[in-house]
Amino acid sequence: VMTQTPLSLSVTPGQPASISCKSSQSLLHSDGKTYLYWYLQKPGQPPQLLIYEVSNRFSGVPDRFSGSGSGTDFTLKISRVEAEDVGVYYCMQSTQLPLTFGGGTKVEIK
Amino acid sequence: EVELVESGGGLVQPGGSLRLSCAASGFTFSSYEMNWVRQAPGKGLEWVSTITGSGSATFYADSMKGRFTISRDNAKSSLYLQINSLRAEDTAVYYCARRPISRREFDHWGQGTLVTVSS
């Protein structure tokens, strides 16, 4: 089970934001990798990949997004929130089947 | 440019069947595992199924086993999802998403197709 907090976040542009994702089991795979991802679903759009394997930014993702964590506890940070960052953020694990997503964190701009 | 286009959704009565399709372009289709993920109205994301690049292996969420069948036609660069005995709780947008072989992230998603199960 993947548990995200908070459920929602209202952020002033230019301020930081942080989202937590906790797994009920360690996401460290026997191959030494941790298969934890972050996606952003903007309104009316499909999800888009932001971060792969805990801390690697996907192609084209601004460097204001960063991921960290290990084992069961993970965090997505936005250093300076911009208007285009609104949407729902999901963590996802693919260390083991079934692949599971967190419940989502809705980010809005104040 | 990578493109995934789903089709086949619509309104169907409970107990009915539907076959969803996902047409892929802009990449070597057989080099990617393909997946279905669904999202009920106003809800979060739920993984449905995965199929390997060759189509030799398939995986399903426990709640989907038995009624859902994933398949692919690499010659047509197409992915399919057959859903039988549809229930109201299957109402959702169904997304196809690709995953590079030897990696585990869904790096591109389609726009989705809406399935509504209602009498």
Side-chain angles (χ1 to χ4, degrees), chain A residues 48-79:
Chain A
Q48 59 188 78
L49 179 63
L50 294 176
I51 301 287
Y52 64 94
E53 293 172 17
V54 181
S55 59
N56 300 283
R57 276 187 303 277
F58 185 57
S59 174
V61 174
D63 60 7
R64 63 179 180 275
F65 291 93
S66 64
S68 63
S70 64
T72 60
D73 289 359
F74 304 92
T75 302
L76 175 72
K77 292 183 178 177
I78 312 172
S79 59

Side-chain angles (χ1 to χ4, degrees), chain B residues 21-99:
Chain B
S21 299
C22 172
S25 60
F27 64 99
T28 304
F29 186 66
S30 58
S31 295
Y32 289 81
E33 296 183 342
M34 296 300 296
N35 306 266
W36 288 100
V37 176
R38 72 181 184 181
Q39 186 171 37
K43 301 296 185 182
L45 302 168
E46 180 180 27
W47 171 70
V48 173
S49 182
T50 295
I51 187 167
T52 56
S54 64
S56 60
T58 58
F59 307 90
Y60 298 91
D62 285 345
S63 60
M64 318 290 173
K65 289 177 183 174
R67 295 191 301 118
F68 290 66
T69 303
I70 191 172
S71 62
R72 65 191 296 161
D73 184 336
N74 285 346
K76 295 182 178 179
S77 294
S78 292
L79 173 72
Y80 306 102
L81 184 69
Q82 176 74 35
I83 315 174
N84 299 325
S85 303
L86 277 154
R87 307 165 180 167
E89 52 265 37
D90 295 321
T91 294
V93 173
Y94 286 74
Y95 296 101
C96 68
R98 76 168 197 180
R99 186 166 80 174

Side-chain angles (χ1 to χ4, degrees), chain A residues 29 31 33 35 37 39 41 44-49 52-53 58 90 92 94-99 101 103, chain B residues 35 37 39 43-47 50 59-62 95 99 102-112:
Chain A
H29 193 275
D31 65 7
K33 292 185 178 182
Y35 296 105
Y37 306 89
Y39 295 87
Q41 187 173 30
Q45 294 186 23
Q48 59 188 78
L49 179 63
Y52 64 94
E53 293 172 17
F58 185 57
Y90 294 95
M92 187 198 89
S94 55
T95 294
Q96 57 211 359
L97 292 177
L99 309 185
F101 292 88
Chain B
N35 306 266
V37 176
Q39 186 171 37
K43 301 296 185 182
L45 302 168
E46 180 180 27
W47 171 70
T50 295
F59 307 90
Y60 298 91
D62 285 345
Y95 296 101
R99 186 166 80 174
S102 81
R103 299 194 61 83
R104 298 194 179 200
E105 64 268 15
F106 299 158
D107 66 352
H108 283 87
W109 299 60
Q111 291 296 315

